[in-house]
Amino acid sequence: MDAADSTKPKVSPLYDPKVRGIAYQVALCALIGVLVYGAISNAIENLTRAKIASGFGFWTTTAGFDINQTLIEYSNISTYGRAFWVGLLNTLLVAALGIVFATILGFAIGIARLSRNWLLARMAGVYVEVIRNIPLLLQLLFWYNAVLKALPEQLQESFIIPGGGFLNRRGLFLPQPVFGNGSGIAFVALILGIVAAIIFRIRIKRRHEQTGVRAPVFAIVLALVVVPPLVALALAGFPIDFIYPYPGRFNIQGGIEILPEFMALLFGLVIYTAAFIAEVVRAGLFAVSRGQTEAAYSLGLPTGPTLRLVVIPQAMRVIIPPLTSQYLNLTKNSSLAVAIGYPDLVQIFTGTVLNQTGQAVEVVTLTMAVYLTISLVTSLLMNLYDRRVALVER
Amino acid sequence: MNQVTSFLRPAPLNTDVAVEMIGVNKWYGDFHVLRDINLKVMGGERIVICGPSGSGKSTLIRCINRLEEHQRGRILVDGVELLDDVKKIEEIRRDVGMVFQQFNLFPHLTVLENLTLAPIWVRHLPRREAEEIARHYLQRVKIPEQAEKFPGQLSGGQQQRVAIARALCMNPKIMLFDEPTSALDPEMVKEVLDAMNELANDGMTMLVVSHEMGFARQVANRIVFMDEGQIIEANTPEAFFASPQHERTKLFLSQILH
C-alpha cells in the first residue's frame, strides 16, 4: 500500500459509489432472473396443463387452409412452415414496395412544401397535416371499405382498363405476359443493352471529365436499353403472348390478379408514411443554412444543381436517422394488414396458424424475431449509408 | 490561348462601367433598407463600403448579384440589366464572384471539390482543367497543401482564403466581398487581407463591405459611407479620412479610429 492510499480517509462501503453501483447491478440481474424464471416455469406449467406439446413439431404438419395471395407455390395441403414463408414474403413485398413509393412521394411533398409556388406549398402542407393526424388503421379501413369496396360489384360493370385490364371490387386484373420460343433472345438482348448502357455511362462520364464535352446521356441510355430487345423480338416474330383476363362466370379469370386488400394496404402505408417522410425531408432541408444556397447561387449554379449537389447531400445527414425510423414504422405498420384481411405474416401466422395449432409461445416468439430481424437489417443498411455521408470535421 | 491560361487572369469587362445603380430602392416589408442609391463603379475600380450596422451596406452589394431583389430603380452589371430573367441572372452571377462573412464553403466537399464544382457544372470545364485552375488559385492564396482536406479541418483564415479562391476559379470580372474579415480571429485577418491586396494589384474590380480602414486607405480608389440606407458620402481615401464632409461620417470615424 503506498502513501496516497494510507492517507485517504476511510469511507463506509455503504456510501462508496463503486460499491453501490455493483450492488444495484447485482440486484437488477437477480430481479430479471427471477422474472424470466417465473415466466418460463409458468408457461411450461400451463402448456402441460393444456396438454400442448411445446416445440416446432407443427412446422411440418399440413396447414389445411387456403391463402389468397401466394408468391410461392402453396395450397391447402402445404405445411404450416410453408404458410409461414408465404406470409413472410407477402409482408416483405408490401413493405419493400411501400418503402420505395413512400420515399419518392415523401421527398416530392417535402420539397414541394418549401416551394416558392404558393399553391403547391399550401397543398403539400394540407396533405401533411391531414394525413398524419388521422390514425393509420382508419385510413386503411377508408381505402378498403370506402374506396375499393365502392367499386362495381357486378362483373359487367367492371372498369375496363385500356390494354385489357379490369378493375372491380374483387381486385385489379392485368394481362399476364407469357414468353414463347425465341423470347429468350430478347431477354439476352435486354441484358446486353443494359450492360452497354452502363459501360456507355462510365465512358461518357470519363469523357466529360477529360474534355468537358457533354452528351444527351439519358436519351442514349434509354435507346440502348429499349432498342436491342425490340429488334430481337421483331426478328423472332414477337413470340410474346398475353393471357388477357376475361369475365368468367363468377369473376374475372386469367391474367395477373392484384387483391384489393393489397392495394388498400399499399395505398394506406405509402400515403401515411409519405406525410412523415415529407416532414423529415423538410426539416433536413431547413437544417442546411441559407448561406449554402447563396454561395451556390453566387457561383452561377441554377436551382436544380444547387439542390442536388449542395443542399440535399448535406440535408441527408439530418434526414437519414428519422427516415430509418419511418422505414421501420412502415414495415411494422404493415401488420395492420390483419384489419383488412391482407394475408401478411401476422394475419397468416399469428392469426390462422396460431388459432389452429395453439402454439402461442412459439408462433409469437418467431414472429417477433422476424420483425426484429427485418428492422435490424434495415437499420444496419441505413447506418452504413449514414456513415458514408457523414461530414469530416477536424 | 487555351482555356486554362485564360482562366488565370481576371476576365475583361465588355464595358467601361462595371456596375451602375440608378435610383435603387428596396424595402423589407415596411423597412426602407436602400433609399435612392446611385453608384457607378468603373472597370478596375476598388470600392470600400463602410457604415454602421443596419445601414444597408450588405444589402447593397447583395443586390448586385441578385441575392436580394431591388424593388425600384435599375442595376446594370457589365452593361446587362438585372431583370426577372433567370438566365440573365445566372449569367451575371457567373461573372460576379462573392465572398461571404461566414465563408459558406460546402462542408461535404473537399477544398478541391469546392473549387471545381462550379467550373465543372456551370462553365463545363473538364475536371482535369478545373483542378489545374483550382490548384493555381490555391497556390495564389498560399494554401496549396490543403487541397484534399475538408473545410471543417481548416482554420477560419484558411477557409476564407479557400472561399476567395473558389470565387476566382469562375474567372469573374467583378468581386464582391461582404465583411470578409468580420468573422475571423484578429491574427487571421492579415492573411485574408493580403490575398485581397494581391487581387487588387491584378486589376480586379472589387466592391468590399468592410470596417478594415487600413485596407481601405491602402487599396480603395473610393470609400462609400452609408447610413440608414443612403449613401452619405463617397470620396477618395485621402479626402475621406482627412476631411469628412458630413457630421454622421465624422462621428462614425471618431468611433472606429480610436
Side-chain angles (χ1 to χ4, degrees):
Chain A
M1 194 184 271
D2 60 60
D5 274 352
S6 60
T7 54
K8 226 172 165 180
K10 285 261 182 247
V11 178
S12 158
L14 209 54
Y15 298 109
D16 186 335
K18 257 190 211 155
V19 176
R20 281 184 164 199
I22 292 169
Y24 287 143
Q25 294 193 39
V26 168
L28 184 65
C29 287
L31 185 67
I32 292 173
V34 168
L35 286 175
V36 169
Y37 176 77
I40 291 176
S41 56
N42 186 279
I44 291 173
E45 195 180 307
N46 283 323
L47 287 173
T48 20
R49 196 168 340 125
K51 298 205 168 57
I52 295 171
S54 60
F56 283 91
F58 68 93
W59 194 257
T60 49
T61 317
T62 303
F65 60 88
D66 283 311
I67 301 174
N68 55 0
Q69 179 186 304
T70 54
L71 296 178
I72 51 175
E73 218 165 287
Y74 175 88
S75 69
N76 57 14
I77 53 164
S78 299
T79 60
Y80 285 125
R82 194 74 180 172
F84 165 84
W85 291 112
V86 169
L88 176 58
L89 285 175
N90 284 347
T91 289
L92 289 176
L93 176 72
V94 80
L97 287 176
I99 284 175
V100 171
F101 291 125
T103 307
I104 296 169
L105 187 61
F107 268 74
I109 292 169
I111 293 172
R113 212 175 168 190
L114 294 177
S115 164
R116 264 177 297 184
N117 182 326
W118 187 87
L119 189 63
L120 192 62
R122 273 320 125 95
M123 275 168 56
V126 168
Y127 174 94
V128 169
E129 292 310 332
V130 170
I131 297 298
R132 71 171 179 171
N133 288 314
I134 297 174
L136 174 58
L137 184 55
L138 272 180
Q139 294 191 33
L140 291 178
L141 293 174
F142 168 79
W143 287 110
Y144 188 58
N145 294 311
V147 178
L148 295 173
K149 280 281 178 256
L151 289 170
E153 192 184 10
Q154 298 298 323
L155 282 187
Q156 298 85 330
E157 292 167 7
S158 299
F159 290 120
I160 294 171
I161 294 166
F166 291 95
L167 179 66
N168 64 22
R169 190 185 281 196
R170 295 171 196 224
L172 176 65
F173 300 84
L174 297 173
Q176 182 179 15
V178 179
F179 299 100
N181 284 337
S183 52
I185 301 168
F187 189 66
V188 171
L190 177 69
I191 291 185
L192 287 178
I194 291 173
V195 171
I198 292 171
I199 293 171
F200 167 77
R201 254 210 66 130
I202 294 171
R203 295 193 68 170
I204 210 74
K205 195 169 168 233
R206 201 172 296 153
R207 193 179 70 155
H208 171 221
E209 290 189 351
Q210 278 163 7
T211 64
V213 179
R214 278 156 187 259
V217 177
F218 184 74
I220 297 176
V221 165
L222 195 68
L224 279 174
V225 174
V226 172
V227 174
L230 281 181
V231 170
L233 277 182
L235 289 177
F238 290 101
I240 295 184
D241 278 321
F242 286 96
I243 297 179
Y244 287 98
Y246 61 93
R249 212 160 139 201
F250 299 110
N251 196 5
I252 306 281
Q253 300 197 320
I256 300 172
E257 181 186 355
I258 299 172
L259 294 180
E261 290 81 14
F262 175 79
M263 288 190 283
L265 183 62
L266 188 62
F267 281 170
L269 287 174
V270 165
I271 287 169
Y272 180 77
T273 312
F276 289 89
I277 292 179
E279 282 299 89
V280 166
V281 169
R282 187 169 72 111
L285 294 177
F286 259 130
V288 181
S289 83
R290 176 86 195 131
Q292 292 291 312
T293 313
E294 289 183 348
Y297 283 170
S298 77
L299 289 164
L301 280 166
T303 317
T306 298
L307 208 56
R308 196 155 42 85
L309 299 169
V310 175
V311 179
I312 290 180
Q314 295 185 56
M316 285 316 276
R317 291 176 296 131
V318 182
I319 290 174
I320 289 169
L323 186 64
T324 310
S325 301
Q326 291 309 325
Y327 287 175
L328 301 181
N329 278 345
L330 188 147
T331 309
K332 290 177 291 177
N333 284 341
S334 73
S335 61
L336 287 173
V338 86
I340 54 173
Y342 172 73
D344 82 323
L345 182 63
V346 171
Q347 206 251 351
I348 292 178
F349 204 58
T350 55
T352 316
V353 174
L354 174 56
N355 282 335
Q356 292 194 4
T357 62
Q359 302 283 359
V361 177
E362 294 82 357
V363 166
V364 173
T365 311
L366 183 61
T367 313
M368 285 175 163
V370 166
Y371 279 99
L372 189 64
T373 309
I374 297 175
S375 296
L376 287 177
V377 169
T378 312
S379 294
L380 182 74
L381 294 176
M382 293 299 278
N383 286 344
L384 285 177
Y385 181 66
D386 192 31
R387 202 166 307 154
R388 247 193 49 189
V389 296
L391 281 192
V392 179
E393 292 287 342
R394 148 184 358 235
Chain B
M1 187 165 62
N2 81 29
Q3 250 176 332
V4 173
T5 51
S6 77
F7 264 73
L8 302 186
R9 66 197 68 187
L13 289 155
N14 298 324
T15 55
D16 293 339
V17 184
V19 178
E20 187 163 16
M21 302 178 97
I22 306 160
V24 172
N25 279 278
K26 176 172 177 61
W27 290 263
Y28 286 128
D30 288 338
F31 181 57
H32 202 169
V33 234
L34 295 179
R35 300 167 190 254
D36 295 317
I37 299 289
N38 287 295
L39 181 67
K40 201 175 192 180
V41 182
M42 305 304 287
E45 212 181 354
R46 296 175 295 278
I47 308 276
V48 169
I49 304 168
C50 61
S53 65
S55 59
K57 331 176 277 288
S58 291
T59 310
L60 186 146
I61 68 162
R62 286 161 60 87
C63 279
I64 295 172
N65 64 352
R66 199 49 146 193
L67 290 183
E68 305 282 354
E69 250 172 75
H70 61 285
Q71 277 111 22
R72 210 190 294 159
R74 301 177 66 197
I75 300 177
L76 289 93
V77 180
D78 194 21
V80 180
E81 176 153 13
L82 272 172
L83 299 168
D84 289 329
D85 176 343
V86 180
K87 282 289 150 213
K88 276 272 158 58
I89 292 170
E90 279 164 16
E91 201 177 295
I92 288 172
R93 283 174 177 165
R94 250 175 272 165
D95 289 339
V96 178
M98 186 156 200
V99 175
F100 299 85
Q101 182 176 357
Q102 298 297 341
F103 328 136
N104 293 347
L105 294 178
F106 307 130
H108 60 302
L109 301 178
T110 64
V111 165
L112 200 63
E113 287 166 343
N114 263 278
L115 268 60
T116 55
L117 184 78
I120 289 173
W121 286 92
V122 180
R123 295 271 192 224
H124 303 312
L125 286 188
R127 179 177 298 279
R128 206 158 31 86
E129 284 179 30
E131 284 180 356
E132 202 179 317
I133 293 161
R135 289 187 194 281
H136 167 84
Y137 281 114
L138 281 178
Q139 186 84 47
R140 281 277 304 271
V141 297
K142 303 194 174 58
I143 37 174
E145 70 285 357
Q146 312 288 0
E148 315 305 332
K149 287 194 184 163
F150 284 88
Q153 297 170 302
L154 305 183
S155 74
Q158 289 172 327
Q159 290 193 47
Q160 193 61 299
R161 284 184 282 156
V162 172
I164 293 173
R166 178 174 69 178
L168 293 176
C169 282
M170 281 296 283
N171 195 27
K173 298 169 173 177
I174 300 163
M175 284 285 287
L176 308 174
F177 293 85
D178 188 2
E179 308 210 24
T181 57
S182 300
L184 295 176
D185 289 341
E187 71 264 35
M188 294 173 182
V189 169
K190 189 177 173 297
E191 61 190 52
V192 171
L193 290 180
D194 284 347
M196 291 167 64
N197 245 319
E198 208 178 310
L199 199 56
N201 291 336
D202 282 359
M204 177 66 81
T205 309
M206 295 163 69
L207 280 92
V208 184
V209 172
S210 178
H211 292 137
E212 296 294 335
M213 286 304 135
F215 173 79
R217 208 188 285 266
Q218 215 181 338
V219 173
N221 303 100
R222 259 193 300 163
I223 299 182
V224 172
F225 177 72
M226 286 184 72
D227 190 29
E228 295 182 343
Q230 284 174 304
I231 295 181
I232 304 287
E233 68 179 283
N235 221 328
T236 60
E238 297 76 26
F240 183 80
F241 289 113
S243 53
Q245 302 297 306
H246 289 262
E247 278 311 308
R248 190 65 191 86
T249 320
K250 285 176 196 162
L251 180 66
F252 178 75
L253 285 177
S254 74
Q255 277 164 347
I256 62 165
L257 305 171
H258 310 287

